[in-house]
Amino acid sequence: MENSSNGAVSNFINNKVLPPIMKFVNTKPVKALQDGMVYALPFIIIGSVFLILSNIPIPAVAAVIKASGWAAFFNQAYTVTFGVLSLWAAVGIAYVYVRNEGYEPLPAGLTSMAVFLLLQTLNIANPLVAAMGKAGTGITNAAGNVVMSGSAVSQNIDKLPKVLQNFVQAPVTGVVNITWLGGQGMIAAIIVGILVGWAYSAMIRKGWKITLPEQVPASVANQFTAMIPAGVILIVAMLIFAAFSAFGNTDMLQFIYKVLQTPLQGLSDSLGGALVIAFLVPFFWFFGVHGGLIMGAITSGLLIPNTFDNASLYKAGKLTVAQGAHIVTNEFYNNFINLTGSGITIGLVIFTLFAAKSVQFKTIGKVEFVPALFNINEPFLFGLPIVMNPFLAIPFLAIPFFLTPVIVALSTYLVIYFGIVPPLNGFAAPWTTPAIISGFLIGGWKMAIWQTITLVMSTAIYFPFAKKYDAILTKEEGEKAAAEAAAGNAEIEKM
């Protein structure tokens, strides 16, 4: 009866729930988003290193670096790598979309970059505006020391004629506002990358291109091929920019940020959002679908901007929840929800190495130990197996497989929310970084200690279920060995 019920649930999920999800995940835009974001990762990781170097979490060392002027150099490197991650995303997504359609992708990627820049207002607020007043930052020197207070700046500006006051406080025009090239422009970059990739591919498919004779080198011919699609896309983008500017006194990037990105980031950063993500990763895995890749593709456009915002706060020395730091970032996903692999199966690994009695458990534990150190647990998922085997896993290993990520996500969210450990600092540790080391990199020694506690939690949750399942496997192996021995004895007697 129980097996029949389990089979009905499995059939319902496999036949009714997963097909539409997989259809969505395998659509051209989602595949472009999933693979296109990969092009931004090297810049995010390298930029994270520069971020840490410019803000070493040891006050004495940080002071020396700042006084030497090297902090400014590290900040420069951070700004043009991690600091413009939305620009890399816009290029990568359009590039992958067109590449998957079978066309030359580089012109599409460059067109997407041009459109992304074209859709924003090319000005920034005058630095004097932020420096003025009692709440102003004042004027600092190259070492970051305040040489004139905000009040003093205001007093001196007020002495100027009104015309000069307006002039020096006017926005600086003809410059790219890197605010929208960072995390705040991510949703706009995704939309631009997908739409440019789609439109470019559609026009090439329809034959909207200049075809040159075969004698012309391919490198030259490809650029002429791209001229009409790129021109049409850029003209449309210009008209969109003009419409937002004329009728809304804004631009498309700011509009998308206010209407779409801010609410979605808030949702992803909520406790409910963290728990849903933590549950869905093992849920998809349980039915044979790569939960890590699916949820990573869906959430990266929101969690990476959260990481960027935290990095900016860390850089400014304001990394607290009260000052707007996010709790759920891309590192929360990689280094807690997926710690040691989907399902946080390190507890199961520890059981197999030190307490298992069945041959199957011991063997798979030896195979999984080293990969688990680098957050890879496919040997367990497919070798135990947990994937696509509800009859074998329910109610034993399925319960901790779903339960552990949810408990870790809940507890990690709460310890950050209540200030027991600091928010994640924006360092983008590669997902293969071993536990505890990654904790130190993304949040200092307190986060490393907390990550150690989560490993203990995983062990405590898995242990009783693994013990019961191990007893079943041991019994089955004993019965099989007894049956084989009996068959062997019978064969000897016949001889």
Side-chain angles (χ1 to χ4, degrees):
M1 186 68 179
E2 185 178 347
N3 286 347
S4 176
S5 175
N6 291 338
V9 172
S10 178
N11 288 333
F12 172 77
I13 292 175
N14 284 319
N15 296 327
K16 300 295 184 181
V17 177
L18 289 181
I21 293 174
M22 293 307 300
K23 185 176 181 180
F24 168 74
V25 169
N26 288 314
T27 57
K28 294 176 182 178
V30 175
K31 293 296 291 182
L33 170 61
Q34 177 181 321
D35 296 337
M37 289 296 294
V38 173
Y39 287 95
L41 288 181
F43 302 102
I44 293 173
I45 294 171
I46 294 170
S48 296
V49 175
F50 290 121
L51 173 66
I52 293 295
L53 290 175
S54 64
N55 297 272
I56 296 289
I58 303 172
V61 177
V64 170
I65 293 176
K66 190 174 183 180
S68 69
W70 274 96
F73 302 146
F74 293 140
N75 280 329
Q76 174 86 350
Y78 161 79
T79 300
V80 299
T81 50
F82 196 164
V84 293
L85 64 92
S86 292
L87 188 65
W88 310 131
V91 174
I93 292 169
Y95 181 96
V96 171
Y97 194 112
V98 174
R99 184 194 66 189
N100 291 346
E101 291 289 286
Y103 305 118
E104 174 62 35
L106 183 57
L110 297 177
T111 302
S112 180
M113 179 178 68
V115 169
F116 185 62
L117 295 174
L118 193 159
L119 290 173
Q120 68 164 285
T121 303
L122 297 179
N123 66 35
I124 60 172
N126 196 300
L128 276 175
V129 175
M132 292 169 59
K134 291 182 179 180
T137 59
I139 297 177
T140 59
N141 58 19
N145 299 317
V146 177
V147 294
M148 181 179 287
S149 68
S151 298
V153 172
S154 295
Q155 291 171 6
N156 283 277
I157 293 294
D158 290 341
K159 295 176 182 178
L160 298 173
K162 192 65 177 178
V163 174
L164 282 178
Q165 289 184 36
N166 293 335
F167 178 75
V168 297
Q169 295 179 55
V172 180
T173 60
V175 295
V176 175
N177 189 342
I178 61 172
T179 298
W180 303 107
L181 304 187
Q184 292 187 18
M186 180 56 74
I187 297 299
I190 292 171
I191 293 173
V192 167
I194 290 173
L195 290 179
V196 169
W198 168 77
Y200 186 94
S201 299
M203 283 185 274
I204 293 292
R205 193 180 304 112
K206 292 291 185 180
W208 292 20
K209 57 183 179 179
I210 298 174
T211 304
L212 298 179
E214 295 182 0
Q215 293 80 3
V216 177
S219 58
V220 177
N222 287 336
Q223 306 317 309
F224 278 88
T225 299
M227 194 171 295
I228 292 178
V232 171
I233 291 170
L234 288 169
I235 290 171
V236 171
M238 180 194 65
L239 295 175
I240 293 173
F241 172 78
F244 273 96
S245 179
F247 300 111
N249 195 29
T250 185
D251 59 47
M252 183 175 168
L253 270 63
Q254 295 183 54
F255 178 80
I256 290 174
Y257 178 73
K258 292 176 182 177
V259 175
L260 284 179
Q261 182 161 331
T262 299
L264 288 174
Q265 276 188 260
L267 183 63
S268 70
D269 194 33
S270 66
L271 177 58
L275 297 181
V276 168
I277 295 170
F279 174 80
L280 288 178
V281 171
F283 174 82
F284 286 124
W285 263 120
F286 191 70
F287 292 94
V289 183
H290 201 302
L293 287 180
I294 290 177
M295 294 309 298
I298 294 173
T299 62
S300 61
L302 300 174
L303 298 185
I304 290 178
N306 289 355
T307 295
F308 179 86
D309 290 346
N310 280 18
S312 299
L313 289 171
Y314 177 73
K315 180 181 175 184
K318 300 178 180 179
L319 187 63
T320 64
V321 174
Q323 298 194 73
H326 298 284
I327 296 176
V328 185
T329 67
N330 203 49
E331 284 58 55
F332 186 101
Y333 175 76
N334 284 334
N335 302 114
F336 283 99
I337 290 177
N338 287 323
L339 187 65
T340 71
S342 300
I344 315 180
T345 52
I346 188 64
L348 199 53
V349 175
I350 291 172
F351 175 86
T352 60
L353 292 175
F354 299 104
K357 296 180 179 178
S358 71
V359 175
Q360 180 179 339
F361 246 1
K362 289 180 178 179
T363 303
I364 198 69
K366 293 175 183 177
V367 173
E368 169 60 18
F369 176 65
V370 173
L373 296 177
F374 299 94
N375 305 313
I376 299 169
N377 67 342
E378 278 78 358
F380 253 170
L381 299 179
F382 293 101
L384 198 54
I386 294 176
V387 170
M388 293 298 289
N389 203 336
F391 299 107
L392 183 64
I394 294 176
F396 306 113
L397 297 182
I399 295 175
F401 187 61
F402 286 100
L403 189 63
T404 306
V406 172
I407 290 178
V408 168
L410 173 63
S411 57
T412 302
Y413 189 99
L414 293 178
V415 296
I416 295 176
Y417 181 82
F418 288 111
I420 299 172
V421 298
L424 302 177
N425 60 21
F427 183 88
W431 66 270
T432 51
T433 306
I436 303 176
I437 295 176
S438 65
F440 179 78
L441 292 173
I442 64 178
W445 65 269
K446 289 184 178 180
M447 197 61 73
I449 291 174
W450 175 249
Q451 216 173 48
T452 304
I453 294 172
T454 63
L455 300 180
V456 175
M457 290 165 57
S458 170
T459 304
I461 294 170
Y462 272 102
F463 207 92
F465 297 96
K467 185 176 181 180
K468 190 170 184 179
Y469 186 55
D470 181 57
I472 293 175
L473 291 179
T474 302
K475 182 180 178 182
E476 290 177 351
E477 289 170 0
E479 291 174 349
K480 182 179 179 181
E484 290 176 351
N489 292 334
E491 192 69 29
I492 291 174
E493 291 177 359
K494 287 181 181 180
M495 294 175 62

